[in-house]
Amino acid sequence: MFGVYRVFVLLVFVSQTCNGFYLPGSYMHTYSNGDSIYAKVNSLTSIETELPFSYYSLPYCPPLEGIKKSAENLGELLMGDQIDNSAYRFRMNTNESLYLCITSPLNEHEVKLLKQRTRELYQVNMILDNLPALRFAKQNGVTIQWTGYPVGYSPPNSNDDYIINHLKFKVLVHEYEGNVMEVIGTGEEGMGVISEADKKKALGYEIVGFEVVPCSVKYDPAKMTKLHMYDPVPSVNCPLELDKAQIIKERERITFTYEVEFVRSETRWPSRWDAYLKMEGARVHWFSILNSLMVIFFLAGIVFVIFLRTVRRDLTKYEELDKEAQAQMNEELSGWKLVVGDVFREPELSKLLCIMVGDGVRITGMAVVTIVFAALGFMSPASRGMLLTGMIILYLFLGIAAGYAGVRLWRTVKGTSEGWRSLSWSIACFFPGIAFVILTVLNFLLWSSNSTGAIPISLYFELLALWFCISVPLTLFGGFLGTKAEQIQFPVRTNQIPREIPERKYPSWLLVLGAGTLPFGTLFIELFFIFSSIWLGRFYYVFGFLLIVLLLLVVVCAEVSVVLTYMHLCVEDWRWWWKAFFASGSVALYVFAYSINYLVFDLQSLSGPVSAMLYIGYSLLMAIAIMLATGTIGFLTSFYFVHYLFSSVKID
């Protein structure tokens, strides 16, 4: 809904005089010299534990006006973000070095907590004008950029830990002139247009970069206790000697200071996120994806051509025979033509199949729409939580499509609408129920660890309200529409007695499991970057590539499932329904296996059973969603293929 509104407003104002506009991100702020700007702090995060904690769970300096939480959307709450105000104050274009506060003597609990957070590599995530703090570090002669800075550090071959208590900030600013361009901005700050009347107000400076250099500096507590917050202190260089750094131990009083330098930059507002969205190994990423695309297109093209020629030859031979020859052929030959009386026989667990197809339609639709909007720039990283919030909203409203698809398939299989309400309820509760159980178990683990990643009980009730007040009614409405839709008629009659299926030399499920390797070939390169984004705290913003991979995955899933269905029919195996579903849906097994491989070989720093359980739980939920989506794509394609195949043959 918000996306439609933004497009509408954009069209309204496009006739105004403008040289350009900026769509993704938040509304631009301009500051005059001396304007106060306060930084915000997000949850402490670590790639070792994946358990976020509140910034003020450690003895940091609280702001003078008290700690205030920022308004957060649904996606931010589910991701464990907790954005608070902080005591760090900047004044536009004023370079200064300031004192913040000094702690009371550290007690045993505070020392233990600081040492634990330091050794678990926790990062402080600071935000200024909606930009995360960026830190540059050198490893093996290569400059690597990170968001945030560490709580502290532990020197090698030492049992001591040192806290980061002095921060050197560099704020990059760009001088904005209101007569250069009109700006349309969107995001969590709302929408605004800088008009002629506001140009004088808009003249000023915009923040286009936020960098930090963390230091550990030992101060004299006797001198520091005489100072007040924001009193000036001498600028310091980050000491390299450990005896000049602030050690973490009992009865120590830690002084927090910071300095800020404002630097003019040629970077403009629309380009300020470019520094964050640069992915490491970009060339490898591009060439790997292109190579994967070419290989998959080549294989899929060969399979598709061979398949078309085979089916066309079979149909031509079958149609050219007269009725007597057809009867003789039916007696002598084997193949898909012999299962004409069983091919549309109701499968086992038909209700479960309809439920999974209904939920698969919803998940597929949600994925396609979300990735399309993200590729167009509507899911800017500046709008935290927007991606997850958009996915949840789409999932809720696509309940109509889920109910319609599931009930219509039910009517086709059963020949009647009886029981459609029960089916619609099951569709509305199947995948959300699985997700609810997994997230509840993981939430208990997070609660036991006092992590901000735990979902508050109030949010639980909000999610339940969304589920039963929006998703369930819309799914029931979609099911009702499914009962009114035209019933799909089978082109052939089903025999009363099932045909015996010939014995196979090898179990058919081996072929079904093997079929998932081809769809997985389209995914595994992109999976590495997605997993790195989720678990290593990196930004993922190559949604254009992801959209191409998704479209390719849809094509490959459809082709693989159709080919496997045809192979089963050719050996007189008419039980194709579930095999068509799992032929493409089996890719989820490989995705889950890859996630375990990633845990073992790429997340070696992940420590503790709670962290491993979180990782496995979220990976399992993702694999189930992928199975439902890819299985549905393969099944629906195979269904219409079988329907077309048997409606194209003249059968008495």
Side-chain angles (χ1 to χ4, degrees):
M1 187 67 187
F2 289 113
V4 175
Y5 175 73
R6 288 169 179 162
V7 173
F8 172 75
V9 174
L10 179 61
L11 292 175
V12 169
F13 286 104
V14 77
S15 60
Q16 303 293 325
T17 304
C18 62
N19 297 330
F21 66 88
Y22 175 63
L23 193 58
S26 61
Y27 175 52
M28 183 180 70
H29 292 276
T30 56
Y31 302 92
S32 300
N33 287 327
D35 282 357
S36 294
I37 315 159
Y38 286 89
K40 295 182 179 181
V41 285
N42 204 339
S43 300
L44 306 174
T45 56
S46 168
I47 61 173
E48 279 211 351
T49 67
E50 302 298 342
L51 299 173
F53 290 97
S54 169
Y55 173 81
Y56 291 108
S57 64
L58 297 181
Y60 287 125
C61 304
L64 292 174
E65 66 274 16
I67 301 169
K68 299 176 183 177
K69 288 184 167 62
S70 298
E72 295 172 311
N73 58 41
L74 181 61
E76 287 177 304
L77 290 171
L78 290 175
M79 290 190 300
D81 287 349
Q82 182 177 309
I83 301 176
D84 302 314
N85 60 336
S86 80
Y88 289 93
R89 184 203 67 187
F90 307 100
R91 291 185 292 183
M92 177 57 68
N93 284 332
T94 303
N95 298 341
E96 51 191 350
S97 181
L98 303 175
Y99 163 86
L100 268 187
C101 74
I102 183 170
T103 67
S104 55
L106 296 179
N107 57 39
E108 182 183 357
H109 172 72
E110 290 172 330
V111 169
K112 182 180 178 181
L113 199 59
L114 280 170
K115 282 179 169 287
Q116 183 181 355
R117 297 289 181 262
T118 297
R119 294 180 181 181
E120 290 175 343
L121 304 182
Y122 269 87
Q123 302 280 317
V124 178
N125 299 293
M126 193 170 289
I127 304 165
L128 182 68
D129 193 44
N130 209 33
L131 281 178
L134 201 59
R135 174 172 60 94
F136 296 94
K138 282 195 174 183
Q139 291 184 0
N140 300 323
V142 179
T143 301
I144 301 176
Q145 65 180 37
W146 301 89
T147 54
Y149 61 89
V151 169
Y153 63 92
S154 303
N157 304 320
S158 173
N159 293 324
D160 294 327
D161 302 287
Y162 297 85
I163 190 172
I164 298 299
N165 63 333
H166 180 77
L167 301 174
K168 300 169 73 73
F169 294 106
K170 180 190 290 185
V171 181
L172 305 179
V173 296
H174 180 82
E175 188 172 4
Y176 174 75
E177 298 178 359
N179 60 353
V180 174
M181 66 176 179
E182 307 283 340
V183 174
I184 298 177
T186 64
E188 74 271 25
E189 301 288 344
M191 170 169 285
V193 179
I194 298 178
S195 60
E196 291 288 341
D198 294 329
K199 280 181 181 176
K200 288 187 178 180
K201 183 179 177 181
L203 290 173
Y205 298 90
E206 55 198 24
I207 296 175
V208 295
F210 183 40
E211 300 174 6
V212 62
V213 176
C215 307
S216 181
V217 181
K218 185 174 180 60
Y219 291 98
D220 183 1
K223 294 181 180 178
M224 293 296 117
T225 51
K226 299 177 182 178
L227 299 177
H228 299 89
M229 187 174 286
Y230 305 129
D231 281 351
V233 293
S235 177
V236 297
N237 294 320
C238 292
L240 298 178
E241 301 85 359
L242 290 179
D243 58 339
K244 295 182 180 179
Q246 179 60 60
I247 194 171
I248 301 174
K249 66 179 182 180
E250 286 189 56
R251 310 308 302 168
E252 281 286 319
R253 302 190 69 180
I254 300 174
T255 300
F256 289 94
T257 56
Y258 71 100
E259 56 188 280
V260 57
E261 177 189 9
F262 285 84
V263 178
R264 298 289 181 91
S265 172
E266 295 301 318
T267 303
R268 302 183 67 85
W269 170 270
S271 305
R272 69 178 194 155
W273 274 91
D274 290 356
Y276 299 86
L277 303 181
K278 292 177 182 176
M279 299 189 67
E280 299 297 327
R283 183 173 297 180
V284 175
H285 179 83
W286 281 77
F287 281 108
S288 298
I289 291 296
L290 290 175
N291 180 65
S292 178
L293 292 177
M294 288 188 291
V295 170
I296 295 302
F297 269 127
F298 179 71
L299 292 176
I302 292 177
V303 170
F304 196 60
V305 169
I306 293 175
F307 163 72
L308 281 180
R309 292 183 62 184
T310 304
V311 173
R312 185 174 299 173
R313 185 177 66 248
D314 281 357
L315 285 173
T316 304
K317 286 171 60 179
Y318 196 75
E319 292 294 344
E320 287 177 352
L321 299 175
D322 55 25
K323 290 184 179 180
E324 183 178 347
Q326 285 183 23
Q328 183 179 358
M329 182 178 178
N330 283 341
E331 293 177 0
E332 296 177 356
L333 298 180
S334 62
W336 59 268
K337 300 165 285 291
L338 297 182
V339 296
V340 65
D342 300 273
V343 70
F344 292 109
R345 189 178 301 280
E346 181 182 345
E348 297 178 354
L349 302 174
S350 57
K351 184 175 182 179
L352 179 60
L353 179 63
C354 294
I355 293 169
M356 294 175 74
V357 168
D359 258 323
V361 167
R362 173 152 56 178
I363 294 171
T364 304
M366 175 194 71
V368 171
V369 175
T370 300
I371 293 174
V372 166
F373 271 77
L376 294 175
F378 286 92
M379 302 293 184
S380 168
S383 303
R384 291 174 183 81
M386 187 177 179
L387 186 66
L388 187 55
T389 303
M391 291 174 66
I392 292 173
I393 292 173
L394 283 170
Y395 184 85
L396 293 173
F397 284 94
L398 283 172
I400 296 176
Y404 177 85
V407 170
R408 193 171 186 200
L409 179 60
W410 175 258
R411 287 183 64 208
T412 301
V413 172
K414 291 288 188 181
T416 177
S417 299
E418 187 177 351
W420 71 270
R421 291 182 182 85
S422 171
L423 179 70
S424 298
W425 266 97
S426 300
I427 293 172
C429 297
F430 181 70
F431 181 72
I434 294 173
F436 186 80
V437 170
I438 293 176
L439 293 178
T440 300
V441 173
L442 298 181
N443 216 45
F444 276 115
L445 296 175
L446 291 169
W447 271 333
S448 66
S449 303
N450 296 318
S451 170
T452 60
I455 301 175
I457 193 67
S458 59
L459 183 58
Y460 252 101
F461 286 109
E462 291 176 17
L463 292 173
L464 288 172
L466 290 174
W467 183 2
F468 288 103
C469 297
I470 297 179
S471 179
V472 171
L474 288 178
T475 307
L476 287 168
F477 178 66
F480 174 75
L481 295 179
T483 62
K484 301 300 179 183
E486 183 181 354
Q487 185 173 345
I488 301 174
Q489 299 293 334
F490 293 139
V492 293
R493 292 189 298 272
T494 301
N495 297 334
Q496 291 185 352
I497 302 176
R499 179 184 179 86
E500 184 178 354
I501 299 174
E503 291 187 6
R504 303 281 295 276
K505 294 181 180 180
Y506 52 89
S508 58
W509 60 265
L510 283 177
L511 197 59
V512 172
L513 290 179
T517 55
L518 193 56
F520 180 70
T522 69
L523 279 179
F524 79 97
I525 293 294
E526 207 65 26
L527 276 176
F528 173 80
F529 292 96
I530 294 173
F531 275 51
S532 298
S533 170
I534 296 173
W535 301 109
L536 296 180
R538 297 173 185 170
F539 285 102
Y540 182 89
Y541 209 64
V542 285
F543 288 105
F545 270 117
L546 189 59
L547 179 60
I548 295 173
V549 170
L550 177 65
L551 295 176
L552 188 57
L553 178 66
V554 170
V555 173
V556 173
C557 283
E559 291 180 345
V560 165
S561 186
V562 166
V563 170
L564 201 73
T565 299
Y566 180 70
M567 291 173 63
H568 280 102
L569 293 178
C570 283
V571 294
E572 303 176 39
D573 187 353
W574 45 267
R575 294 175 301 186
W576 59 272
W577 302 74
W578 280 107
K579 291 169 184 174
F581 186 93
F582 286 112
S584 52
S586 61
V587 67
L589 290 175
Y590 297 96
V591 171
F592 187 71
Y594 179 82
S595 67
I596 300 300
N597 174 81
Y598 188 86
L599 171 64
V600 174
F601 295 103
D602 293 283
L603 281 183
Q604 296 176 355
S605 61
L606 198 66
S607 60
V610 174
S611 303
M613 287 289 292
L614 285 173
Y615 178 88
I616 293 173
Y618 289 130
S619 299
L620 179 61
L621 185 61
M622 181 181 68
I624 293 172
I626 290 174
M627 179 197 69
L628 292 173
T630 55
T632 297
I633 293 167
F635 171 78
L636 292 178
T637 309
S638 294
F639 178 83
Y640 284 106
F641 160 72
V642 173
H643 190 279
Y644 171 78
L645 181 63
F646 283 90
S647 63
S648 303
V649 180
K650 297 176 183 177
I651 300 174
D652 294 331

